[in-house]
Amino acid sequence: MSAKVWLVGAGPGDPELLTLKAVKALSQADIVMIDDLVNPAVLEHCPGARIVAVGKRGGCRSTPQVFIHRLMLRYARQGKCVVRLKGGDPCIFGRGSEEADWLNAHGIEVELVNGITAGLAGATQCGIPLTLRGVARGVTLVTAHTQDDSGLNWQALAQSGTTLVVYMGVAKLDEIQAGLLAGGMNGDMPVAMIENASLPAQRECRSRLAALQNDAAAFSLKSPAILVIGEVARASAQISMPQLLHA
Ligand code: SAH
């Protein structure tokens, strides 16, 4: 059998939001390389595996991507079953495809396993439907954080008529607010800020675009958090906080 690496999504945090396929991959793993947004509780599915932490939080000390690539390659060539475990979905702001391409170019087979991405989980856990008949006919997932600091087309986003879900936005609230207002979005547009989605520490703050920075400061919003911007963020189904089913 040729060497293979599994690029697996660990979901947003709640270990019960793992897919069955992720659990299966973990249970067969010899090596599990994890990012720092992965809830360590999911490691109960791989008690025998060697765990290698390769976190890369923006702005913090991190493992260089090239080192992660080479490590995966080395373990795979040793014939080990390697699981690369990433927060959320491996291909949503997760470099999953970059890692897959690099491994493929070095003769390693890759299998991608979906995870529930934080933006979808956060909205649903707060009772916000990202699409809603007659209100929002689409969703745009966007990050405010770019490698080259190039700006986003805020006008296009402001006028897209879709719900915006912003990842990695906590340090860029000024830019998001100013960009969308300048792009023509109404200052009264509802915004939900959702921190630690799906975890017991989940917190949410409802605001509106014109008050975004002030409300975030008063709430002391911290990463990891997503923003949901759109009319749907007015909605609030009566749901209970996330709990473990077996708790
Ligand atoms: N691949 C991941 C995203 C990685 S980028 C996914 O699909 O979810 C990291 C960003 O994801 C964070 O800055 C934050 O915006 C978001 N994020 C990840 N986990 C989160 C959580 N539990 N709650 C809120 N936001 C989260």
Side-chain angles (χ1 to χ4, degrees):
M1 229 179 70
S2 62
K4 181 166 167 176
V5 170
W6 297 73
L7 292 180
V8 178
D14 178 348
E16 291 186 336
L17 290 178
L18 271 181
T19 64
L20 293 176
K21 202 161 186 171
V23 169
K24 198 164 164 187
L26 283 171
S27 70
Q28 293 171 6
D30 299 311
I31 308 281
V32 178
M33 293 171 61
I34 58 162
D35 279 346
D36 41 18
L37 277 180
V38 172
N39 184 347
V42 304
L43 300 176
E44 70 166 291
H45 299 292
C46 52
R50 175 157 171 213
I51 310 300
V52 183
V54 288
K56 310 175 56 64
R57 288 295 285 274
C60 301
R61 236 164 43 112
S62 62
T63 313
Q65 190 67 30
V66 59
F67 176 81
I68 298 173
H69 285 170
R70 292 200 182 126
L71 205 56
M72 287 192 288
L73 184 63
R74 194 170 82 204
Y75 286 132
R77 284 187 174 157
Q78 287 170 356
K80 303 260 197 293
C81 177
V82 183
V83 167
R84 172 81 172 102
L85 192 60
K86 290 167 168 287
D89 187 277
C91 292
I92 300 292
F93 308 123
R95 299 192 177 202
S97 66
E98 282 172 49
E99 294 183 5
D101 287 347
W102 194 88
L103 289 164
N104 285 163
H106 289 79
I108 307 293
E109 208 186 315
V110 172
E111 184 154 340
L112 287 159
V113 179
N114 282 107
I116 298 180
T117 189
L120 304 193
T124 300
Q125 298 296 327
C126 292
I128 299 172
L130 291 177
T131 64
L132 188 60
R133 278 194 298 161
V135 177
R137 52 166 58 180
V139 187
T140 304
L141 305 185
V142 65
T143 177
H145 183 91
T146 53
Q147 208 169 14
D148 57 3
D149 253 349
S150 58
L152 282 165
N153 185 343
W154 292 111
Q155 191 173 3
L157 289 169
Q159 293 173 11
S160 69
T162 66
T163 303
L164 305 181
V165 179
V166 185
Y167 289 66
M168 291 174 267
V170 175
K172 302 262 180 178
L173 294 177
D174 50 348
E175 196 180 309
I176 296 164
Q177 185 181 35
L180 290 174
L181 287 171
M185 190 177 270
N186 192 320
D188 283 330
M189 185 62 86
V191 179
M193 304 173 232
I194 305 162
E195 188 183 287
N196 285 312
S198 85
L199 289 162
Q202 176 175 303
R203 296 195 306 149
E204 70 169 294
C205 173
R206 299 297 179 106
S207 178
R208 56 193 186 89
L209 184 58
L212 179 61
Q213 280 190 85
N214 284 345
D215 286 352
F219 183 73
S220 78
L221 181 73
K222 293 194 183 55
S223 184
I226 51 127
L227 309 180
V228 177
I229 306 173
E231 291 296 341
V232 293
R234 231 184 272 284
S236 173
Q238 289 304 306
I239 55 162
S240 57
M241 285 293 285
Q243 283 175 354
L244 291 182
L245 287 178
H246 52 66

